[in-house]
Amino acid sequence: MQDKLYVYIVSDSIGETAEQVAKAAISQFEDVKYIIKRFSYISDSEQIFDIIEQAKKFRSIIIFTTVIDELKETLIDECEKNNIEYVDIMSSVMNSLHSVLGIEPINEPGVIRKLDERYFNRVEAIEFAVKYDDGKDSRGIKKADIVLIGVSRTSKTPLSMYLAHKNIKVANVPLVPEAPVPDELFEISPKKIIGLTANPIKLNEIRQERLKALGLNNNASYANLDRILEELDYAEKVMKKIGCAIIDVSNKAVEETAGIILDIMRENGII
């Protein structure tokens, strides 16, 4: 086993970066037999001493990505005492960035993973908003962080997507007099539900524009003022029965309405 190279990956986070760098570098040398040992979430000097005890028995190199100064200094000191080759991947890059940016690094382990987790949570929330848009599947109501209800063209979908980009899972349900209200809306806390309404004149204008965009006759009942008044009246009754908060979106940008929703949800202890 002595002819093999032992590569010790040491990190105060997962250590994936150091391992990938090590593999990429070793691949440039032909016929090298090696064993990679990864030590993740190193948090104290005793762990480093144990790693050094192992490493000094073999032909070894230690590659590390720790950003905690105390651990880094201990690791370097122990490697030099025991004549073990080491590579500090992070320091040279961070020192150069510090020189260019003129600010100190935060030296917090695992930051990139936290960013990755936020990214994947956002993707999951966006996929959720698409899957449970416009009442496609009422099962999403119980899974959602927030449920938006309202008549057509009250910004349910744009709000769902906007909130999804803030890692919030949103389902939205259209309220139509001829369609039964999903039972699930009465099986969750009304604090998770936001009712959206609008001025009937404004809604009439929006729906007429929508019909024009679709190349349809704007005399359709969809944009008829009496029909809109009927829908709004029906929606209000449903919202009051549920007991949820109601927001008039008539003259509000999506960002403004989203801000109000977030404030309500924080007050309700939902997010």
Side-chain angles (χ1 to χ4, degrees):
M1 297 293 287
Q2 288 287 75
D3 61 333
K4 288 186 179 179
L5 172 66
Y6 281 72
V7 182
Y8 290 82
I9 306 297
V10 180
S11 177
D12 46 27
S13 185
I14 293 179
E16 288 177 325
T17 301
E19 182 169 343
Q20 291 304 314
V21 170
K23 287 180 178 178
I26 293 170
S27 70
Q28 297 299 312
F29 297 85
E30 293 183 352
D31 301 323
V32 175
K33 296 179 180 179
Y34 66 94
I35 294 175
I36 288 182
K37 291 179 173 285
R38 192 204 294 185
F39 297 85
S40 304
Y41 302 112
I42 298 300
S43 58
D44 61 64
S45 297
E46 287 302 318
Q47 292 171 294
I48 291 174
F49 297 146
D50 290 342
I51 295 167
I52 294 294
E53 282 301 309
Q54 291 184 45
K56 69 183 185 181
K57 297 175 184 177
F58 306 104
R59 183 171 58 159
S60 306
I61 182 170
I62 294 179
I63 300 176
F64 63 92
T65 54
T66 180
V67 295
I68 300 173
D69 287 337
E70 182 184 349
L71 296 180
K72 183 166 59 177
E73 289 168 8
T74 300
L75 191 50
I76 291 172
D77 286 345
E78 289 302 309
C79 283
E80 291 180 348
K81 281 182 192 175
N82 292 279
N83 199 29
I84 298 171
E85 192 71 35
Y86 66 88
V87 180
D88 178 0
I89 290 179
M90 294 287 282
S91 288
S92 59
V93 178
M94 287 173 61
N95 289 339
S96 295
L97 286 170
H98 168 61
S99 177
V100 172
L101 297 172
I103 56 176
E104 294 294 333
I106 60 174
N107 290 333
E108 180 182 343
V111 173
I112 191 166
R113 181 162 180 82
K114 291 176 185 176
L115 292 172
D116 286 345
E117 285 176 357
R118 283 199 292 272
Y119 169 77
F120 287 116
N121 287 341
R122 185 178 303 121
V123 170
E124 186 179 356
I126 292 169
E127 290 175 345
F128 186 94
V130 172
K131 183 175 182 179
Y132 298 110
D133 180 47
D134 208 29
K136 290 175 186 172
D137 186 344
S138 62
R139 290 176 298 180
I141 293 171
K142 290 187 174 181
K143 299 176 184 178
D145 299 318
I146 297 173
V147 180
L148 304 179
I149 61 175
V151 303
S152 176
R153 313 315 292 176
T154 49
S155 301
K156 296 187 300 298
T157 298
L159 281 165
S160 296
M161 295 306 295
Y162 184 90
L163 292 167
H165 279 84
K166 294 186 177 294
N167 296 359
I168 298 171
K169 293 179 180 177
V170 185
N172 74 75
V173 180
L175 297 179
V176 184
E178 294 77 17
V181 178
D183 292 336
E184 288 85 351
L185 284 176
F186 299 97
E187 295 170 0
I188 64 172
S189 169
K191 291 182 177 181
K192 294 177 66 175
I193 303 173
I194 296 289
L196 303 174
T197 190
N199 178 285
I201 304 300
K202 183 72 174 176
L203 200 53
N204 178 251
E205 292 173 0
I206 294 171
R207 289 191 178 185
Q208 285 186 359
E209 289 300 318
R210 175 63 174 164
L211 289 173
K212 285 180 185 177
L214 295 173
L216 300 173
N217 190 319
N218 62 7
N219 290 323
S221 63
Y222 176 75
N224 180 276
L225 187 57
D226 289 337
R227 169 63 182 182
I228 290 172
L229 288 167
E230 179 190 353
E231 289 183 31
L232 289 171
D233 181 61
Y234 168 76
E236 184 180 0
K237 288 176 181 176
V238 172
M239 293 172 193
K240 286 182 176 178
K241 185 176 180 181
I242 291 171
C244 63
I246 301 173
I247 302 173
D248 188 330
V249 302
S250 301
N251 298 303
K252 294 181 179 67
V254 168
E255 296 83 355
E256 183 182 358
T257 305
I260 296 170
I261 291 171
L262 292 173
D263 287 342
I264 293 171
M265 290 299 157
R266 289 189 190 102
E267 288 176 12
N268 289 343
I270 302 301
I271 59 173

